[in-house]
Amino acid sequence: MKVQIEALTRVEGEGSLEVFLRDGKPESLRLSIYEPPRFIEGILKGKPYQVIPDITARICGICPVAYQMSGVQAIEDAFCVKIPEDIEEIRRLMYFGEWVQSHALHVFFLHLPDFFNVPSIIELSKIDKGLVLAGMEIKRAGSLIIQTLGGRTSHPVSVVPGGFSALPESLSELKETLEKALEKALWTVEKLKALNFPDFELKEVLFVSLIEEDYPILKGDIYLEGVRVSPKEFKSVFVEFEVPYSTAKHAMTKDGRVYLVGPIARFNNAFEKLSPLAIETAHKLSLEPMVKNPHKGILVRIVEIVHALERSIRIVKDYKKPQKSKVEVVPKSSTGYGVSEAPRGILWHSYSFDSEGRILSADIVPPTSQNQRAIELSLWELIKDRENLKEDWLRDHAEPVIRSFDPCISCATHFLKVSLKDAKKFTLA
Amino acid sequence: MRVGVFKFSSCDGCQLAFFELEEELLRLSEKVQIQYFLEASSKNTWDYFDLVFVEGSVSTPEEEERIKKIRESSRFLVAIGACAVSGGIQSARNFEDFSEIYFSVYSGRYEVNPLSKPLSDFVKVDLEIRGCPINKEALREVLIALLQGKSPQLPSYPVCLECKRKGNPCVVVAKGLICLGPITVAGCGALCPTFERGCYGCYGPVEKPNLQALLEGYSRLRVSQDLLKELLRISFNGYNKSIREWL
Ligand code: SF4
Ligand code: SF4
Ligand code: SF4
């Protein structure tokens, strides 16, 4: 027998959760993603390298900047292009804009309604309009950064291999908006402090994030349990594989361990590198490494929002338009790797090019693929001892767990369905 | 007014325009009932809609069925974004060998159509909002006009006009870049030329794009027919009904 939720909601993308029962007891479950694949990697083949930032951005409307940044850095790695500090700083600023926008969307629009037992932000606004408006203001500040640097809030147009196609003369008009948003974010912290969290811990999960001098975002090696792995070595430590019930691939470490990427992993691995106000915020929320309760992702996201805003204000204050908005890129036959911290965790790209810079092969590993196992594991903890599992219960309890991970199914290929199936009919491939 | 928002093969980028309406969304929600919008709400009902917005292209047998079902239950259907209007970037595969593309990403077993197609290949579409992604101004115009029972005013002229209005130097003349602005419908505010690059066509073709004239214009820049075709195929709108034959 199986129990099924027809459609997962308030997540980005389409998927389902099925729970298989034997004699009324849960035997296994699967988070399946039935979002149709869009074959972006296949489409890239044979195309000139310049199309990478524009095309890969369209994998995800929520984190296009992440795709653009990992993408251009992979190109630059292949063609041995060194990017000047000042251009990297602007890349960081744009990326912070995406963190703020994406985290605010998740915290206020998608996740927060769960804590108030309402179906949507529209209903939430009837209970606490101030909180909703604050969330919108924060999100708008993130969007404004991206729009100023790239023309629009989703799929910005200025990111090119080597830097930016053009850059603004000044960013001073951003300052006030960012400062106000930071104030609002700190104000919401007082409210989020009062939220109640289900008792729940991720066990046996590795936390994986990048390591940079600052709190990781743009680049760096991959860090797990004290070990550093270069972007090039990614595939020798992690494996991505297909599962029969999902159009999104799954990932594990080569030695079969489940790992988690994203805000909680970054927080656990790089807490001390957060901005001063972000650390203060974490203290206020009684948050310190190791955070193991995925529901508390919402708190870590607000900490990261504070961090991103504080850092952005600094970059904006120091901004002087670089002499050149981009450096020269000369293609050659080679392979390159690019990895960065998307709002949802590490996003890895690799490309091989011919001597003219045409793409011979493309390989992209998005954060949600990497987190699927950890989500399944958490769901299993939730249901494993329950008898008499019912669809309503599953929807009320399992959906919030899934949501707390902020899965982006569009990335992994989006929409969750939940079902309980006859164990005998189900075989794990 | 009962409204639904649906998603097909896409990146979710166009739905985000609803969230970008922010406070207006809250105000609108007093006048319209959003009955179905999976990304925004965990309470969804699907019976009858006065107005639906559909994001994404049709690329599986299930999606073919679902778009027909949506059409049957809706009075007015709006296709939002390049995926829904033209098939999206995923339709670049329509011009290539599907099996090769398929197996370069997956090893097999999913039910996916070889072609990614626009909604209008399957059902009657009442209105298109262009862009990859659409912008919130266009969405607001459509929502408000339809609420008031008027017809929405969206541009049908090319990007070049917006570009000139903004006083941008033409990147074709000034930098020798290829720009799809002359055949692409306006609405973005000539973003790419403003950022000193050529338009890559994300708002899709104007009603009767003169591709031959564009090619002749570009032959002076030594742009071959093959190159122009390649650019149009990856213009996010290559499978649009008004250009697919030419490609
Ligand atoms: S049209 Fe572009 S932005 Fe909209 S859903 Fe498709 S890929 Fe995303
Ligand atoms: S830059 Fe492009 S859009 Fe602008 S006028 Fe020239 S051809 Fe037209
Ligand atoms: S200029 Fe062209 S490619 Fe750029 S945003 Fe506008 S329509 Fe899209």
Side-chain angles (χ1 to χ4, degrees):
Chain A
M1 216 190 85
K2 76 170 184 174
V3 183
Q4 167 162 7
I5 303 178
E6 280 291 331
L8 280 180
T9 60
R10 294 201 333 264
V11 294
E12 288 114 20
E14 302 184 315
S16 75
L17 174 67
E18 296 166 305
V19 177
F20 302 88
L21 304 177
R22 189 190 288 274
D23 308 327
K25 276 189 152 170
E27 187 174 66
S28 63
L29 66 80
R30 55 192 203 182
L31 182 68
S32 67
I33 287 178
Y34 52 85
E35 174 106 6
R38 287 161 70 227
F39 307 103
I40 302 293
E41 287 144 305
I43 285 167
L44 286 168
K45 257 190 169 170
K47 309 292 183 298
Y49 71 92
Q50 292 94 330
V51 305
I52 288 172
D54 294 326
I55 291 187
T56 61
R58 267 65 177 197
I59 292 173
C60 177
I62 297 138
C63 57
V65 175
Y67 280 89
Q68 295 186 330
M69 294 303 169
S70 289
V72 292
Q73 293 185 110
I75 298 168
E76 291 151 5
D77 180 49
F79 304 155
C80 303
V81 179
K82 181 128 183 41
I83 301 299
E85 283 271 325
D86 53 358
I87 294 181
E88 281 200 333
E89 223 24 30
I90 306 165
R91 283 186 171 170
R92 285 209 167 82
L93 176 62
M94 194 171 191
Y95 217 144
F96 281 136
E98 180 158 285
W99 275 25
V100 173
Q101 175 182 281
S102 170
H103 279 1
L105 177 77
H106 188 261
V107 168
F108 297 98
F109 287 69
L110 306 183
H111 201 185
L112 204 50
D114 279 334
F115 293 89
F116 290 81
N117 272 318
V118 288
S120 71
I121 190 168
I122 293 173
E123 298 304 315
L124 179 59
S125 73
K126 294 173 189 160
I127 300 173
D128 193 338
K129 190 146 188 200
L131 188 57
V132 165
L133 292 180
M136 288 176 168
E137 189 175 335
I138 298 166
K139 178 171 165 288
R140 193 154 60 231
S143 304
L144 188 69
I145 297 179
I146 306 174
Q147 202 178 334
T148 308
L149 293 171
R152 58 182 169 195
T153 57
S154 187
H155 308 326
V157 302
S158 63
V159 178
V160 295
F164 292 87
S165 60
L167 282 169
E169 293 300 326
S170 144
L171 294 175
S172 55
E173 80 280 15
L174 276 175
K175 198 177 138 249
E176 208 189 310
T177 311
L178 296 180
E179 284 171 348
K180 279 204 179 131
L182 179 56
E183 246 171 65
K184 275 278 148 70
L186 294 172
W187 176 80
T188 64
V189 168
E190 296 302 322
K191 296 228 167 190
L192 297 179
K193 224 161 85 176
L195 299 181
N196 284 318
F197 294 91
D199 243 347
F200 185 69
E201 282 214 334
L202 280 167
K203 293 187 191 102
E204 315 277 322
V205 169
L206 270 175
F207 297 102
V208 178
S209 63
L210 295 184
I211 182 160
E212 272 197 269
E213 237 166 77
D214 200 16
Y215 194 77
I217 183 162
L218 185 64
K219 58 182 193 179
D221 285 341
I222 300 137
Y223 179 86
L224 61 154
E225 272 190 339
V227 180
R228 286 176 82 125
V229 179
S230 74
K232 189 178 172 177
E233 294 164 322
F234 181 82
K235 285 259 161 136
S236 63
V237 181
F238 303 101
V239 275
E240 211 195 12
F241 51 92
E242 289 175 59
V243 289
Y245 52 85
S246 188
T247 53
K249 294 178 184 177
H250 281 205
M252 286 218 235
T253 66
K254 270 233 160 108
D255 51 11
R257 296 178 66 183
V258 178
Y259 69 101
L260 183 79
V261 299
I264 291 182
R266 291 191 288 257
F267 181 89
N268 287 341
N269 290 344
F271 169 77
E272 69 289 351
K273 293 178 179 173
L274 282 163
S275 75
L277 275 176
I279 289 192
E280 208 177 290
T281 303
H283 288 320
K284 263 195 200 141
L285 294 166
S286 313
L287 220 52
E288 54 182 43
M290 309 293 282
V291 174
K292 291 197 168 171
N293 184 344
H295 295 278
K296 292 196 173 168
I298 191 169
L299 300 180
V300 177
R301 279 182 195 96
I302 198 81
V303 170
E304 288 198 336
I305 287 176
V306 170
H307 169 81
L309 286 168
E310 199 178 1
R311 288 283 193 259
S312 299
I313 293 169
R314 196 175 73 191
I315 300 175
V316 165
K317 278 187 183 158
D318 294 344
Y319 179 79
K320 272 210 298 290
K321 187 180 174 187
Q323 291 271 322
K324 278 191 191 160
S325 66
K326 58 174 184 286
V327 293
E328 204 189 354
V329 175
V330 184
K332 62 175 185 180
S333 158
S334 172
T335 299
Y337 306 86
V339 61
S340 68
E341 286 279 0
R344 291 160 191 77
I346 53 176
L347 167 62
W348 182 86
H349 288 216
S350 159
Y351 303 94
S352 293
F353 302 101
D354 70 10
S355 56
E356 274 155 26
R358 292 238 165 214
I359 301 163
L360 297 172
S361 67
D363 193 359
I364 297 173
V365 181
T368 295
S369 302
Q370 303 179 71
N371 280 346
Q372 279 191 96
R373 280 284 147 131
I375 303 175
E376 285 187 343
L377 212 69
S378 306
L379 289 166
W380 180 245
E381 283 297 317
L382 175 78
I383 60 149
K384 66 174 199 255
D385 301 322
R386 292 213 62 101
E387 301 203 8
N388 251 325
L389 207 57
K390 293 270 175 345
E391 207 180 297
D392 288 349
W393 187 92
L394 202 60
R395 182 177 281 286
D396 290 349
H397 294 83
E399 265 201 345
V401 171
I402 296 165
R403 251 178 238 130
S404 72
F405 285 90
D406 188 14
C408 181
I409 302 176
S410 301
C411 277
T413 94
H414 173 145
F415 188 41
L416 251 30
K417 213 186 210 159
V418 187
S419 63
L420 295 189
K421 270 193 186 146
D422 189 344
K424 276 165 271 170
K425 286 191 198 135
F426 174 58
T427 44
L428 239 178
Chain B
M1 192 148 84
R2 299 160 68 91
V3 177
V5 181
F6 291 88
K7 174 192 154 64
F8 286 72
S9 298
S10 70
C11 85
D12 278 42
C14 286
Q15 291 177 66
L16 289 183
F18 286 89
F19 296 138
E20 270 181 54
L21 290 175
E22 298 179 354
E23 287 184 69
E24 284 170 272
L25 181 70
L26 301 182
R27 274 201 300 280
L28 274 167
S29 69
E30 288 158 18
K31 295 199 192 98
V32 303
Q33 294 89 46
I34 302 178
Q35 299 272 329
Y36 194 98
F37 189 174
L38 288 173
E39 177 148 357
S41 177
S42 51
K43 227 173 96 205
N44 297 284
T45 49
W46 178 342
D47 36 44
Y48 168 80
F49 301 102
D50 296 296
L51 171 61
V52 291
F53 294 90
V54 183
E55 171 193 278
S57 69
V58 177
S59 73
T60 67
E62 183 274 330
E63 288 184 331
E64 284 181 28
E65 291 306 308
R66 185 152 51 99
I67 190 61
K68 289 178 193 150
K69 217 176 119 202
I70 292 171
R71 178 71 266 190
E72 279 163 20
S73 22
S74 317
R75 201 158 55 89
F76 200 85
L77 187 153
V78 185
I80 56 170
C83 294
V85 169
S86 308
I89 188 59
Q90 58 276 22
S91 71
R93 73 171 185 259
N94 298 6
F95 304 97
E96 294 177 36
D97 178 358
F98 179 63
S99 64
E100 212 187 298
I101 289 200
Y102 187 94
F103 291 113
S104 69
V105 183
Y106 295 99
S107 61
R109 62 170 104 82
Y110 308 117
E111 242 191 301
V112 186
N113 297 341
L115 303 185
S116 164
K117 293 182 175 179
L119 307 185
S120 61
D121 276 26
F122 301 91
V123 297
K124 179 171 166 274
V125 169
D126 299 302
L127 183 75
E128 293 174 345
I129 307 182
R130 298 296 195 89
C132 179
I134 61 165
N135 64 69
K136 66 166 186 235
E137 287 73 25
L139 178 61
R140 181 196 296 127
E141 162 68 22
V142 167
L143 272 167
I144 291 174
L146 292 178
L147 263 175
Q148 298 174 342
K150 295 187 196 149
S151 47
Q153 299 298 313
L154 297 171
S156 54
Y157 47 83
V159 175
C160 289
L161 231 77
E162 273 183 323
C163 202
K164 300 217 164 80
R165 223 185 273 148
K166 273 186 130 174
N168 288 335
C170 176
V171 299
V172 183
V173 182
K175 298 181 161 230
L177 299 175
I178 306 175
C179 179
L180 296 179
I183 57 133
T184 300
V185 80
C188 67
L191 277 184
C192 293
T194 310
F195 279 85
E196 299 176 33
R197 57 180 293 200
C199 166
Y200 54 89
C202 81
Y203 272 57
V206 290
E207 199 186 336
K208 287 201 179 85
N210 193 337
L211 298 167
Q212 214 47 45
L214 186 73
L215 181 63
E216 278 157 30
Y218 278 128
S219 63
R220 265 174 265 138
L221 284 173
R222 298 221 180 90
V223 174
S224 68
Q225 180 159 354
D226 284 349
L227 178 59
L228 186 60
K229 282 189 177 175
E230 179 175 33
L231 291 176
L232 286 168
R233 286 172 186 167
I234 54 171
S235 70
F236 303 80
N237 290 278
Y239 205 66
N240 189 289
K241 278 185 175 158
S242 64
I243 56 175
R244 63 168 87 138
E245 301 303 332
W246 196 78
L247 303 178

